[in-house]
Amino acid sequence: MAQNRIDVRLVRKAQEGDKRAREVLLRRLEGVLRMFFLKRVGRSPTIDDLVQNTLLRIHGGLEVLRDPGRLRAFAMKAALFELQDYYRGRYSPKEVLCDPDAMVAVSSAQPKRAGAKVDLERALSILTPHARRILELREYGFRYKEIARALGTTETAVKMQVKRAMEKMRRVFAT
Amino acid sequence: MHDPPGSLSDDGQLTLEQGDSLERDPLMMGIRGQIRSGLAAALPDRRLFVLHALASAGYADELSDMELAEVERSAEAIKSATASFSALEGVAAGIVKDREAFITCWERSARVYRLFPSGVWRIAATVVVLIGLGVLYALFTGGDQRVVAVSDGASQLATLPDGSTVLMVGDTEMRYDAENFARHITLDGSAFIEVTRSDAPFTAVTQDAVVTVTGTRFGIKSADGVTEVVLERGSVSVAARPAPDQSVALHPGEMTSVVRGSLPSAPMPVDLVYALDWTGYFFFNATAMSEVAQVLASRFGIVVTLDEALKQEQVSGSFAPGDAPEQILSVLASTLGATVEGSVRTGFTLR
C-alpha cells in the first residue's frame, strides 16, 4: 500500500534523526488524530490537548518502534491511551469533593448520617446491577450521554435510574 | 431533549428541586467516592486495560512483544478487576470500538495521501493534481463546499440553503455546495431529512445509493457498505449508485436497503415507531395508546399509566426529539379529550 511505504520511509528517517521527516510524519498523524478525537468526544476545546498529548506520546516513543510498518497500531494505541487518561481525569476537580476521606468528615458532622461510612457497603448492595453499572461507568469517567449510548438507552433513562437508586438508598438509610 | 425536574445534568450535577441535592448528599458522595477509589485500586494502569481489551478482541498482533508480556503478567489482576466491576466489560467493548474508529480515520486519511505517490512520479502527479484542482475550481467557481460532521453519539440539525433540514445522528458527515446549492448532498452516516417541496429534485448520495425526492421526510442510514432508507411521508426513489436507472419507489411506512454492488431490495412495510427510533423522533400512525405509553416510558425512563378506556384509542402524529414527555402527553391527552396528571418523578396518569 502506498500509504504504508510512505509512512515506513518517513518513520525510518524520523528515527534516524531527520527532523523534517519527523515534522511531516507528526503533521500527517495530527490530521488522523484530530478526526479520531472529534468522533469520540465531539467538538470540544480539549481536542487540541488530546491531539498534542498523543503526538507527544508518539514523538517520545518513536525510537522504540522496532517495525516502522506498524506505525498505525503504534499511533492507534497512543490515541487510545490518551483517551483513557482523558476519561480518568474528566471529573478530577470533583475528586477532591468526593474524596472518601472527606466523606467521613462530612458524615461525622451529621449525626443522622454518622453511619454512612460503615454502611457504604450496604448501600452498594442495595443497588441493582444495572444501577451499579451506571455508577461505575460514571466514575470511570463517562458522561451520562455516553453511558446511555453504551447501554443502548436514553440519557434521561440513565439519569432517572441513578436518581431512583439514590432515593431508594436514602429511604433505606432513613429507617 | 429537556432534562426533567430532578434529573441529573450531563456534568453530573442535579437539576435540583428546591434545595434537594443528591449530588451533594454525603451518601451519594460516599458511594461515588468508594466506587472511584475501588476502580483506581483495581485498575491502577488503564493503559494495561486497553492492551487487554485489544488482545481479548483478537488484536494481539497489534501489540509489541513487550506489551504482550505485560498483558500476560497482569491477566489475573485484570480478571479480578472485571469481576469486581461489571461495567469494565462494557468499557473494554468501547475500547474496541475506539480502535475501529481510529482505523476508519486512518483509512480516510490514507485515501487523501494516496493522491501523492512517492518517487519520480511525484512531480508529474502533483502537476496533474493541480490541473485537476483547476478544473474543479472552474466547475465550482465561487462555490462554497460545506462539510458538516457530527461525532458518535451526538446529533445536529442542519438547515440547507433551500430550507430543507437534515438531522444528523451519530457518526455522520454531510457535504454540499452552500453557494451554488443544487439540492444535492452527499452523506456518510445516518440522517433524517425533511425536504422542502420544489419542482427541482433533491438528491442524497451515499457510498452505495442515490435517493431522489421532491418533497418528503425520510431516514437514511449509510454504514459498512449498506444504505437503508425509510420513508415517513411523501415519496422517494432509491437506486444503487452503479445503476441509477433501476430504482425502486417507496411509499410512506416502507423501507428498502442497498447493499454495495447490488440493486435496492423490494420495498417492505415497517413500523415507523421502531424503524426510525434512532432519529429521536416519535412517529405514531394509528398506534394504540397502550403502545404509545410503552414507547414513551422506555424512551424517557418514566411511568405512564392509562385509564382502561384509553388503552385501545389510536393516535397518529409525530414529535420532535426535543419534545419533553410532559409536552407529548399533554398533546395526546388533548387529542383524546383526556387529562394528564403527574410528573416525570412520580409518573404520569392519563384518564
Side-chain angles (χ1 to χ4, degrees):
Chain A
M1 205 164 115
Q3 167 67 13
N4 274 346
R5 285 201 300 274
I6 290 169
D7 287 336
V8 167
R9 200 175 56 247
L10 269 178
V11 174
R12 283 206 179 113
K13 282 187 174 180
Q15 286 177 324
E16 288 161 6
D18 184 331
K19 286 183 181 173
R20 172 73 183 147
R22 183 173 287 250
E23 192 186 313
V24 170
L25 179 66
L26 292 179
R27 202 165 55 233
R28 192 166 291 181
L29 289 173
E30 183 181 349
V32 179
L33 294 171
R34 195 166 290 284
M35 207 189 303
F36 169 71
F37 286 117
L38 180 68
K39 276 175 176 289
R40 301 332 269 170
V41 301
R43 280 196 177 78
S44 156
T46 57
I47 295 272
D48 285 342
D49 291 340
L50 291 170
V51 171
Q52 289 310 313
N53 290 345
T54 310
L55 287 174
L56 278 175
R57 284 176 191 267
I58 294 168
H59 174 76
L62 205 57
E63 273 69 29
V64 296
L65 177 63
R66 287 184 188 169
D67 178 0
R70 294 168 70 92
L71 177 68
R72 187 179 79 173
F74 179 69
M76 177 267 293
K77 285 179 283 184
L80 297 194
F81 296 157
E82 184 58 32
L83 193 58
Q84 291 299 308
D85 270 0
Y86 167 67
Y87 290 141
R88 188 180 54 190
R90 216 175 207 177
Y91 305 125
S92 55
K94 289 178 192 165
E95 279 177 1
V96 178
L97 292 172
C98 297
D99 187 308
D101 294 333
M103 171 59 214
V104 178
V106 174
S107 298
S108 58
Q110 298 182 3
K112 278 190 82 174
R113 299 189 189 278
K117 179 174 181 285
V118 178
D119 288 336
L120 283 175
E121 284 292 342
R122 183 178 157 219
L124 288 174
S125 71
I126 292 168
L127 292 173
T128 62
H130 188 59
R132 183 169 174 155
R133 192 170 300 134
I134 289 172
L135 287 181
E136 285 175 9
L137 288 170
R138 171 74 183 162
E139 296 317 308
Y140 191 90
F142 292 107
R143 295 196 188 286
Y144 287 117
K145 190 164 41 178
E146 293 162 344
I147 295 170
R149 193 168 72 229
L151 299 178
T153 183
T154 63
E155 187 179 350
T156 309
V158 167
K159 290 172 179 175
M160 288 309 293
Q161 284 271 349
V162 175
K163 188 169 169 8
R164 283 187 189 135
M166 288 302 156
E167 283 175 347
K168 185 179 169 189
M169 280 191 288
R170 283 209 293 188
R171 279 199 302 275
V172 170
F173 277 86
T175 57
Chain B
M1 194 176 295
H2 300 295
D3 285 320
S7 71
L8 297 158
S9 65
D10 198 45
D11 61 0
Q13 297 300 314
L14 283 163
T15 307
L16 301 168
E17 285 178 321
Q18 301 199 333
D20 185 14
S21 172
L22 280 182
E23 288 279 323
R24 287 195 292 272
D25 185 317
L27 180 61
M28 170 86 163
M29 288 169 63
I31 289 165
R32 291 183 59 180
Q34 179 155 319
I35 293 174
R36 187 175 305 167
S37 55
L39 268 169
L43 208 61
D45 184 356
R46 291 194 181 185
R47 183 180 150 278
L48 273 178
F49 191 59
V50 170
L51 297 177
H52 271 271
L54 294 174
S56 304
Y59 300 114
D61 60 333
E62 294 181 352
L63 273 53
S64 67
D65 292 344
M66 200 184 292
E67 287 168 338
L68 284 170
E70 280 185 284
V71 166
E72 204 174 318
R73 277 199 302 275
S74 57
E76 275 308 309
I78 297 289
K79 195 175 164 188
S80 164
T82 311
S84 302
F85 297 94
S86 61
L88 290 179
E89 218 169 277
V91 175
I95 289 169
V96 175
K97 282 187 182 171
D98 291 340
R99 177 204 168 272
E100 286 163 9
F102 183 90
I103 300 299
T104 303
C105 294
W106 182 279
E107 285 172 357
R108 276 188 190 172
S109 172
R111 280 202 291 273
V112 176
Y113 292 132
R114 272 186 219 125
L115 286 169
F116 302 93
S118 58
V120 294
W121 296 102
R122 187 177 196 131
I123 295 169
T126 306
V127 171
V128 170
V129 168
L130 286 173
I131 292 170
L133 288 175
V135 172
L136 283 175
Y137 181 76
L139 284 173
F140 296 102
T141 304
D144 178 10
Q145 289 295 313
R146 291 277 169 86
V147 180
V148 187
V150 178
S151 61
D152 198 8
S155 61
Q156 184 178 330
L157 184 70
T159 303
L160 298 171
D162 69 340
S164 299
T165 57
V166 182
L167 176 66
M168 301 164 66
V169 182
D171 182 10
T172 300
E173 188 178 289
M174 173 178 67
R175 291 168 186 268
Y176 63 95
D177 184 341
E179 199 166 319
N180 302 307
F181 186 65
R183 286 172 56 95
H184 176 91
I185 63 168
T186 57
L187 189 78
D188 184 9
S190 306
F192 184 70
I193 305 173
E194 183 161 4
V195 178
T196 52
R197 192 158 285 285
S198 164
D199 290 339
F202 181 104
T203 52
V205 179
T206 70
Q207 288 195 334
D208 320 296
V210 181
V211 183
T212 308
V213 304
T214 48
T216 186
R217 294 209 304 193
F218 64 101
I220 182 167
K221 289 182 87 169
S222 163
D224 304 324
V226 181
T227 296
E228 284 181 3
V229 183
V230 177
L231 181 63
E232 195 261 318
R233 78 162 71 133
S235 65
V236 302
S237 69
V238 182
R241 284 188 71 169
D245 54 332
Q246 296 184 60
S247 61
V248 298
L250 287 187
H251 297 105
E254 288 184 341
M255 185 197 90
T256 184
S257 58
V258 181
V259 177
R260 187 168 299 163
S262 307
L263 293 174
S265 64
M268 59 177 286
V270 290
D271 189 335
L272 292 178
V273 173
Y274 302 104
L276 290 174
D277 179 61
W278 56 270
T279 64
Y281 276 85
F282 292 102
F283 295 108
F284 301 124
N285 184 16
T287 311
M289 269 305 290
S290 55
E291 190 179 347
V292 171
Q294 280 177 13
V295 170
L296 294 177
S298 164
R299 176 79 66 85
F300 294 113
I302 56 174
V303 176
V304 181
T305 310
L306 297 176
D307 191 276
E308 201 59 40
L310 293 174
K311 286 185 178 172
Q312 296 311 314
E313 291 282 351
Q314 294 183 336
V315 291
S316 297
S318 63
F319 296 96
D323 291 345
E326 297 93 325
Q327 290 172 288
I328 297 173
L329 287 167
S330 293
V331 171
L332 291 171
S334 163
T335 306
L336 296 168
T339 57
V340 58
E341 293 167 3
S343 67
V344 167
R345 202 159 76 93
T346 61
F348 294 94
T349 302
L350 267 72
R351 53 170 62 94

